[in-house]
Amino acid sequence: MELNSSSCIVLYPSPGIGHLVSMVELGKLILCHHPESFSKIIILITNAPHLDTRATAPYMSSVSATTPSITFHHLPTPPLPPNYAPSVIGLDFELIGLNNPNVRQALETISSTQFKINAFIIDFFCDAAFKVSSALGIPTYYFFTTAASNLSALLYFPTLHQKVTVNLKDYNDFVHYPGVPPIFSTDNAITVLDRSTMEYKFFMRTAVQMAKADGIIINTFHSLEPRAITALSDGLCIPDGPTPPIYCIGPLITGEQVASEEHECLVWLNSQPSKSVIYLCFGSLGVFGEEQLKEIAVGLENSKHRFLWVVKNLPSKQDIDPITMLPQGFLERTKGRGLVVKSWVPQVAVLNHNSVGGFVTHCGWNSILEGVCAGVPMIGWPLYAEQRTNRVIMVEELKVGLGVVESGGERFVSSNELEKRVRELMDSDNGKRVRNRVVELRDAAKAAMGDEDGSSRITLAKLITKWKE
Ligand code: UDP
């Protein structure tokens, strides 16, 4: 394909800030290291109020201000059927499907009036758009926002569907994916547990379609997940057909938090001793009911450790201040050694603050990567999506964290359990082992992305060459 100054790449992220950030970083990486090849990145944005954390708009403004070569193209909002109430993931898939005419129009307009589209990169949740770009003859790549281990599971999913004929939620055994530690059936991604759901069908279709793409880009790096990446590249995850080329270009984590230096939690962290604070944050959507909130507070208080705890509110209780649900006197008793923050903190800046010594995470893949890049050991407490699998990967494969043990049918974590894990991470030899390992991987992450001969930079260069052919 001939290149000129009007060549561009179009990115199509799924709604939700956790999906947007890594795609934007991919765009910035292309512009930074290959400006002679591509001077324009266009990002198609789907309006999805159900996932709006109020962090998305300021984030996009900041990107537009610092990187004008990235343009956000807002797609019209597709009308959903009335009284339609699937899960958050089901709604995502549905919205993306309804968006297809808008995506087609955007791609046609871009290529007829402005730029030649050398590659269209779609989030794996935006699978529906593959049909559109294929029909237009645009080279299409999937972008996988989570671990290579999860990609192994997803591409192997049609094979697993034939092998295990009951619902995974009732299987009660370990599932074996190429290059991945055994995953207990109910620790699999929520979307694949029940064959009767629309989410299961969407995932199956995605797995089949992805195999036909021009390539799959994963937000990971080789020395983080060598076994899964090798299994994917060796074609073990699609036993009955070819595997598309796999490109590991990570870790892609946000660099847009410089302006947040004065956030109250960073000011507070400045007054804490080095590596003394345990930071608790459960992603963009992680929330707890009153009973669990109280239990966390008791666990933190009894651990005697310093903490920074981000508390978000249940969507059904937006009018209630979650702070009022904490045990009586908790804030006074922990004053000075603990800070509770409502809503949103600049997580990357927090993790990189010298006072932070541990991270209790919901195991979102961005959060795990951010913990690794900051060299902060973790405690995994998964809540939704594929986070239970991520906990296994983090604890057993990467060995950069400990997992909480839940009790009760409702996956409750007791105050004793939280206290025990915090002490284990901060005070024990086991905690030291995890700490040393995460520092090792932090350095490997820097090398993969920072050096010209780093694995992720070499992979990106190969991809750029392919796009220029
Ligand atoms: N995040 C943040 N502040 C918060 C909560 C989340 O900056 O208070 C960021 C976090 O750094 C990460 C993203 O939001 O980049 C969440 O992505 P992740 O994959 O960890 O979880 P998700 O929210 O998608 O479940």
Side-chain angles (χ1 to χ4, degrees):
M1 195 177 281
E2 197 187 310
L3 272 182
N4 54 42
S5 59
S6 58
S7 292
C8 80
I9 305 284
V10 179
L11 308 179
Y12 185 24
S14 160
I17 190 142
H19 285 254
L20 176 65
V21 165
S22 49
M23 267 222 172
V24 168
E25 290 302 321
L26 176 66
K28 289 206 278 189
L29 197 72
I30 295 167
L31 293 170
C32 172
H33 295 299
H34 301 274
E36 73 295 348
S37 306
F38 298 101
S39 56
K40 192 79 195 159
I41 303 282
I42 299 172
I43 305 186
L44 307 185
I45 295 293
T46 305
N47 182 26
H50 66 291
L51 286 173
D52 191 3
T53 57
R54 280 180 240 130
T56 312
Y59 171 73
M60 287 196 284
S61 306
S62 156
V63 173
S64 301
T66 55
T67 319
S69 302
I70 291 183
T71 308
F72 295 101
H73 176 101
H74 292 263
L75 298 168
T77 308
L80 280 169
N83 306 322
Y84 187 71
S87 68
V88 168
I89 293 177
L91 190 52
D92 264 6
F93 272 118
E94 204 65 50
L95 265 178
I96 296 298
L98 292 167
N99 246 348
N100 266 0
N102 299 327
V103 171
R104 186 182 186 102
Q105 193 176 27
L107 293 175
E108 281 176 344
T109 307
I110 292 166
S111 44
S112 66
T113 58
Q114 304 175 52
F115 299 97
K116 183 180 282 178
I117 303 173
N118 286 64
F120 182 46
I121 304 177
I122 61 177
D123 187 294
F124 71 112
F125 273 94
C126 300
D127 165 66
F130 186 32
K131 211 164 62 181
V132 175
S133 51
S134 308
L136 295 174
I138 301 172
T140 305
Y141 295 74
Y142 279 73
F143 183 69
F144 200 66
T145 51
T146 175
S149 306
N150 288 313
L151 181 61
S152 166
L154 180 58
L155 292 181
Y156 194 72
F157 184 34
T159 308
L160 184 74
H161 178 80
Q162 306 291 338
K163 278 191 173 174
V164 174
T165 49
V166 298
N167 283 328
L168 282 186
K169 67 182 167 74
D170 306 319
Y171 186 48
N172 206 24
D173 201 351
F174 285 89
V175 180
H176 298 270
Y177 300 108
V180 179
I183 308 288
F184 192 69
S185 41
T186 46
D187 279 342
N188 278 270
I190 237 150
T191 35
V192 301
L193 296 183
D194 185 340
R195 293 171 165 242
S196 66
T197 60
M198 68 187 277
E199 291 82 358
Y200 188 98
K201 290 172 188 114
F202 278 131
F203 258 55
M204 181 62 73
R205 186 193 73 191
T206 303
V208 172
Q209 294 272 102
M210 272 177 116
K212 302 177 201 153
D214 289 279
I216 304 175
I217 302 167
I218 322 175
N219 187 9
T220 190
F221 57 101
H222 196 270
S223 45
L224 188 70
E225 300 183 88
R227 290 197 319 126
I229 293 168
T230 305
L232 283 160
S233 306
D234 288 351
L236 303 184
C237 307
I238 310 181
D240 55 356
T243 302
I246 300 293
Y247 301 94
C248 296
I249 304 178
L252 295 162
I253 63 167
T254 186
E256 289 297 324
Q257 295 186 338
V258 189
S260 314
E261 266 164 11
E262 287 315 302
H263 192 282
E264 61 159 322
C265 72
L266 296 172
V267 175
W268 180 81
L269 281 171
N270 288 341
S271 65
Q272 302 300 315
S274 172
K275 309 253 174 289
S276 67
V277 176
I278 185 105
Y279 162 62
L280 298 89
C281 182
F282 300 87
S284 53
L285 304 171
V287 286
F288 297 106
E290 183 165 352
E291 200 186 347
Q292 183 67 83
L293 276 179
K294 285 199 158 75
E295 206 72 11
I296 297 174
V298 174
L300 289 175
E301 188 170 350
N302 291 346
S303 78
K304 305 275 185 279
H305 276 283
R306 294 167 192 274
F307 62 86
L308 167 60
W309 179 15
V310 187
V311 181
K312 293 186 172 59
N313 216 348
L314 284 172
S316 56
K317 297 194 172 163
Q318 284 303 316
D319 50 333
I320 301 175
D321 181 350
I323 305 282
T324 60
M325 296 183 205
L326 300 178
Q328 213 165 21
F330 167 75
L331 293 177
E332 292 73 35
R333 289 192 300 275
T334 55
K335 198 167 180 185
R337 77 168 171 94
L339 181 69
V340 181
V341 181
K342 282 188 279 184
S343 186
W344 195 260
V345 300
Q347 177 159 296
V348 171
V350 168
L351 285 168
N352 283 285
H353 195 287
N354 180 261
S355 301
V356 171
F359 177 20
V360 179
T361 170
H362 73 313
C363 299
W365 186 242
N366 293 300
S367 291
I368 291 179
L369 285 180
E370 288 160 4
V372 166
C373 291
V376 176
M378 290 167 263
I379 295 175
W381 179 339
L383 299 177
Y384 49 92
E386 87 295 13
Q387 293 155 12
R388 300 186 74 79
T389 313
N390 290 352
R391 172 174 57 185
V392 179
I393 296 162
M394 179 178 93
V395 174
E396 294 178 25
E397 190 72 3
L398 315 188
K399 298 185 171 41
V400 294
L402 312 170
V404 291
V405 179
E406 294 121 319
S407 52
E410 290 304 307
R411 297 186 164 164
F412 195 74
V413 175
S414 70
S415 55
N416 281 344
E417 169 63 15
L418 181 61
E419 176 191 341
K420 197 166 129 193
R421 287 300 152 224
V422 168
R423 286 179 187 272
E424 186 183 359
L425 190 75
M426 302 297 268
D427 304 329
S428 78
D429 283 347
N430 202 23
K432 205 179 280 172
R433 185 183 52 75
V434 170
R435 190 173 300 275
N436 290 340
R437 171 70 180 150
V438 77
V439 167
E440 214 174 278
L441 283 177
R442 175 198 64 193
D443 295 343
K446 270 191 201 145
M449 206 48 132
D451 302 344
E452 213 165 297
D453 59 352
S455 62
S456 296
R457 290 275 295 280
I458 290 177
T459 306
L460 176 66
K462 274 190 201 151
L463 199 48
I464 298 279
T465 307
K466 192 169 168 193
W467 290 339
K468 283 159 60 178
E469 274 166 10

